[in-house]
Amino acid sequence: MANNIRYVCCCHTGRVRKNNQDNFFVDWKYLYSENYALEEPISGFHSIADKPAYAVFDGMGGEKHGEIASFISAFTFSKALKTVSGDPATVLNNACYMMNDAVCDFMRENSIRSMGSTAAILMFDPQFVTVCNLGDSGIFRVNESSLLKFSTDHVESNSAFSSKPMLTQFVGIPKEEYLIEPSIRILSHSVGDRFLICSDGLTDMVKEADIAAIINSAPDIDVAADLLLNEALKRGGYDNTTIIICEVC
């Protein structure tokens, strides 16, 4: 029976962009809106009985609005975990609405037309892991030969305006436009399972088969995260890259 979650988180600006619009939530830590990503990974253990949560936020918007959106999301998520009660699915669903309200309030108060963030979240308990996401940041379970994707890509299938599909769901959608609908799944877990949460700075650079091979071949998740980040940078590092790996133990 599982007792702990071993985790590691790394966050890098990349080789091209000067600013970091990614953020995360790990061990009650996140980055301020103006940051230089992480100089060193964050890693450690959590008791699974404490229902630990881990999240990646990928901000969107010019003039530093993406950094602010992902920071507000991370900050509000930490607040939601302290104030919202209920089962994990209820907590995460309500957290998404709280994050969305906070980003929209900031836009309204500062006369900003558009800004937002993805949200990709895992919350563990002794029997299950609850998967929750808005946007296209990925959540995967690693098996022997591939990645099993459990997040939902909220994107337009045929976007004529950009080579990158437009998001249909994210944190920062005003209520008067339409309601956000977080995707939530509840999965069983077993000792030895490894889960990956990442921004598209990883998945746009490294194929899923290669990601699975790297994680499976690494002696531990700390090495796996380092190898994944270096591979994304080696293949161009065109975007900010945030990687969280969780191992049930």
Side-chain angles (χ1 to χ4, degrees), residues 181-248:
E181 296 182 64
S183 294
I184 296 179
R185 300 180 68 175
I186 301 173
L187 313 170
S188 60
H189 59 67
S190 302
V191 172
D193 282 347
R194 289 178 173 180
F195 293 86
L196 168 70
I197 318 172
C198 62
S199 59
D200 56 9
L202 176 64
T203 49
D204 284 352
M205 293 291 99
V206 186
K207 294 179 180 178
E208 290 185 9
D210 293 336
I211 294 173
I214 289 170
I215 296 176
N216 279 317
S217 63
D220 56 54
I221 61 172
D222 298 81
V223 173
D226 185 62
L227 290 172
L228 287 176
L229 177 58
N230 285 326
E231 192 66 23
L233 295 174
K234 186 174 73 174
R235 299 190 186 191
Y238 296 116
D239 201 354
N240 312 140
T241 302
T242 301
I243 297 165
I244 299 175
I245 304 177
C246 299
E247 182 173 35
V248 182

Side-chain angles (χ1 to χ4, degrees), residues 19-231:
N19 59 332
N20 178 40
Q21 294 187 324
D22 281 5
N23 217 310
F24 56 82
F25 177 87
V26 170
D27 195 26
W28 300 98
K29 298 180 178 71
Y30 48 85
L31 299 173
Y32 290 108
S33 56
E34 292 189 17
N35 66 78
Y36 297 98
L38 286 175
E39 293 185 1
E40 299 290 338
I42 299 171
S43 63
F45 288 88
H46 287 136
S47 169
I48 204 167
D50 293 335
K51 298 183 179 180
Y54 309 87
V56 167
F57 305 99
D58 186 350
M60 304 166 287
E63 298 181 1
K64 297 188 176 181
H65 295 160
E67 294 100 303
I68 296 171
S70 60
F71 162 71
I72 292 173
S73 298
F75 171 78
T76 307
F77 181 67
S78 69
K79 183 179 178 180
L81 291 182
K82 295 176 181 177
T83 58
V84 178
S85 60
D87 61 88
T90 299
V91 170
L92 297 185
N93 189 69
N94 288 344
C96 286
Y97 280 97
M98 289 176 64
M99 291 187 290
N100 193 68
D101 288 346
V103 171
C104 290
D105 287 347
F106 184 89
M107 283 195 291
R108 184 175 59 255
E109 292 164 2
N110 292 275
S111 301
I112 298 171
R113 290 190 61 186
S114 179
M115 62 187 283
S117 176
T118 68
I121 310 166
L122 289 176
M123 190 171 186
F124 291 88
D125 64 40
Q127 288 185 295
F128 302 103
V129 56
T130 302
V131 178
C132 175
N133 84 285
L134 289 165
D136 62 351
S137 295
I139 303 174
F140 306 87
R141 180 161 57 192
V142 186
N143 72 1
E144 293 180 357
S145 59
S146 64
L147 294 180
L148 301 176
K149 190 168 190 176
F150 291 111
S151 55
T152 300
D153 285 342
H154 297 126
V155 297
E156 289 282 2
S157 57
N158 295 307
S159 174
F161 304 102
S162 172
S163 58
K164 185 84 172 176
M166 296 178 64
L167 297 184
T168 58
Q169 290 282 317
F170 55 90
V171 180
I173 297 176
K175 293 178 181 178
E176 58 269 23
E177 293 187 13
Y178 55 91
L179 294 176
I180 62 168
E181 296 182 64
S183 294
I184 296 179
R185 300 180 68 175
I186 301 173
L187 313 170
S188 60
H189 59 67
S190 302
V191 172
D193 282 347
R194 289 178 173 180
F195 293 86
L196 168 70
I197 318 172
C198 62
S199 59
D200 56 9
L202 176 64
T203 49
D204 284 352
M205 293 291 99
V206 186
K207 294 179 180 178
E208 290 185 9
D210 293 336
I211 294 173
I214 289 170
I215 296 176
N216 279 317
S217 63
D220 56 54
I221 61 172
D222 298 81
V223 173
D226 185 62
L227 290 172
L228 287 176
L229 177 58
N230 285 326
E231 192 66 23

